[in-house]
Amino acid sequence: MEQVTIKNDFISLSVLDYGAIIQKILFKDHEGNTLNLVVGFENPENYLEDQISLGACVGRFAGRISNGGFNLKGNSYNLYSEDGVHLHGGKSGFGKKYWVFDAIEHNKESFVKLSYQSPHMEEGYPGNLKASVTYRLIGNSLHIVHEAVTDKTTVINLTNHSYFCLDNTRSINHYQLHLQCPEILETHDNLLPTGKLISVVDTDYNFLTKKEIAKKRLDTPYVVSKDAKTVAELYSPVSGILMKVESNQPAVVVYTPLEFAAICFETQNYPDAPNIKSFPSAILNPGETYYNRAIFTFDLVT
């Protein structure tokens, strides 16, 4: 397993070839203490046993797909499912593959680019797909760009699955969260979307105005406001660190695990888009390029 670290005056980023995993994002708090802002393992080999996609690039389809697969151009494609749910690309999705380091630059805008060649019918998905992810440091921001091309019409939905923790406490209840997301996707008990959008107004999913997370736990697909420049803001008054999330994607799945203090912002298309016609298309055709951009900016607020 290979690790690469890039850095600038603000951020140090460590990335693994396995799963294109973000292992560390090092940033100093208001007292000058260096914090790792993502949950992960110090020993890279431990990721081989990880089952919750710590820091990984997940795909071919991030999130959930129903009905054991999907139909595309008159063909049915069967996907591995558990209890009727296909999750994060299957048994061995992109987060469990070895990627290739294509380019590494150490300069004012340091970056690392990785790629993965997914063969036709891997995990049941059609098309030979070439995927890449570029992690670039620009000032106090981490830019993540996922791209992909295919030789056969397919579906795709990639995202980074980092679990962010903005201080060293054992709770996220005191974190202040602001989401520019006026709606959520209604979901069944198994978290598959029903196809209906629900306003967050008058619900405890409403973070249109910044407020503490408190005891609310989320595994929720939010619909991003079409005119939103910033998708999410997260602030820890303990460390003074404010994180802003920008994205060109129509949704963000906000996930707060029960097992430890952290929060994910999975910028992506709607879950189960291949099976719900009213959702934004997840189809990628030959000659097209899939493009998913997210920016994570870290500031100190005193």
Side-chain angles (χ1 to χ4, degrees):
M1 195 177 297
E2 186 177 355
Q3 180 203 67
V4 167
T5 297
I6 57 174
K7 60 183 68 176
N8 64 11
D9 292 339
F10 301 93
I11 301 168
S12 175
L13 174 75
S14 295
V15 177
L16 304 177
D17 59 347
Y18 180 73
I21 286 170
I22 292 179
Q23 183 190 22
K24 297 178 182 179
I25 300 176
L26 302 184
F27 187 80
K28 290 185 178 180
D29 68 10
H30 61 85
E31 295 181 347
N33 301 310
T34 298
L35 302 180
N36 182 9
L37 302 185
V38 292
V39 177
F41 298 112
E42 189 66 31
N43 180 0
E45 299 298 323
N46 289 343
Y47 285 95
L48 296 173
E49 304 301 322
D50 173 48
Q51 298 298 316
I52 56 172
S53 303
L54 287 169
C57 171
V58 290
R60 284 189 195 192
F61 198 94
R64 291 166 168 79
I65 292 178
S66 67
N67 299 329
F70 57 91
N71 294 313
L72 186 62
K73 297 187 73 172
N75 296 310
S76 296
Y77 295 97
N78 297 319
L79 305 175
Y80 172 79
S81 299
E82 290 186 12
D83 299 323
V85 178
H86 173 81
L87 179 65
H88 289 335
K91 277 189 173 182
S92 185
F94 287 8
K96 297 181 182 296
K97 303 296 185 182
Y98 281 92
W99 294 55
V100 175
F101 284 109
D102 287 339
I104 303 165
E105 291 286 344
H106 300 279
N107 51 38
K108 189 175 181 180
E109 292 187 4
S110 297
F111 75 90
V112 55
K113 182 176 182 179
L114 304 95
S115 65
Y116 175 67
Q117 298 270 3
S118 178
H120 175 58
M121 296 310 296
E122 181 175 56
E123 290 289 335
Y125 290 90
N128 293 296
L129 186 89
K130 181 175 182 180
S132 69
V133 58
T134 302
Y135 301 113
R136 187 183 303 270
L137 302 180
I138 301 178
N140 58 332
S141 297
L142 167 61
H143 293 235
I144 304 178
V145 172
H146 295 92
E147 296 177 279
V149 294
T150 183
D151 65 356
K152 184 179 177 68
T153 300
T154 190
V155 298
I156 187 169
N157 189 32
L158 305 180
T159 195
N160 178 264
H161 206 286
S162 288
Y163 293 74
F164 290 94
C165 50
L166 301 188
D167 57 43
N168 284 329
T169 64
R170 296 185 177 182
S171 171
I172 61 170
N173 291 7
H174 60 286
Y175 286 11
Q176 297 171 16
L177 177 63
H178 179 205
L179 296 173
Q180 291 279 10
C181 301
E183 297 174 306
I184 60 173
L185 302 187
E186 182 184 61
T187 57
H188 298 288
D189 290 343
N190 61 3
L191 300 180
L192 283 169
T194 66
K196 181 180 178 182
L197 309 187
I198 299 176
S199 171
V200 299
V201 176
D202 296 327
T203 76
D204 57 359
Y205 294 97
N206 187 353
F207 290 91
L208 290 169
T209 301
K210 182 173 66 176
K211 66 178 182 180
E212 286 190 346
I213 293 175
K215 295 183 179 181
K216 180 64 178 174
R217 292 299 173 260
L218 301 165
D219 194 348
T220 309
Y222 278 85
V223 177
V224 177
S225 175
K226 288 183 173 60
D227 58 355
K229 183 178 185 298
T230 301
V231 174
E233 293 186 7
L234 185 71
Y235 174 65
S236 165
V238 173
S239 66
I241 295 175
L242 172 68
M243 183 178 78
K244 297 181 181 179
V245 183
E246 300 172 56
S247 169
N248 69 339
Q249 296 297 292
V252 57
V253 176
V254 183
Y255 175 46
T256 53
L258 298 175
E259 299 85 358
F260 50 87
I263 184 169
C264 295
F265 297 96
E266 303 166 50
T267 57
Q268 59 177 276
N269 197 353
Y270 293 11
D272 208 21
N275 286 318
I276 300 179
K277 291 183 178 180
S278 60
F279 284 1
S281 174
I283 295 173
L284 180 67
N285 292 302
E288 299 174 344
T289 299
Y290 171 83
Y291 183 79
N292 176 334
R293 184 193 74 251
I295 303 172
F296 298 84
T297 301
F298 307 96
D299 284 307
L300 287 176
V301 178
T302 57

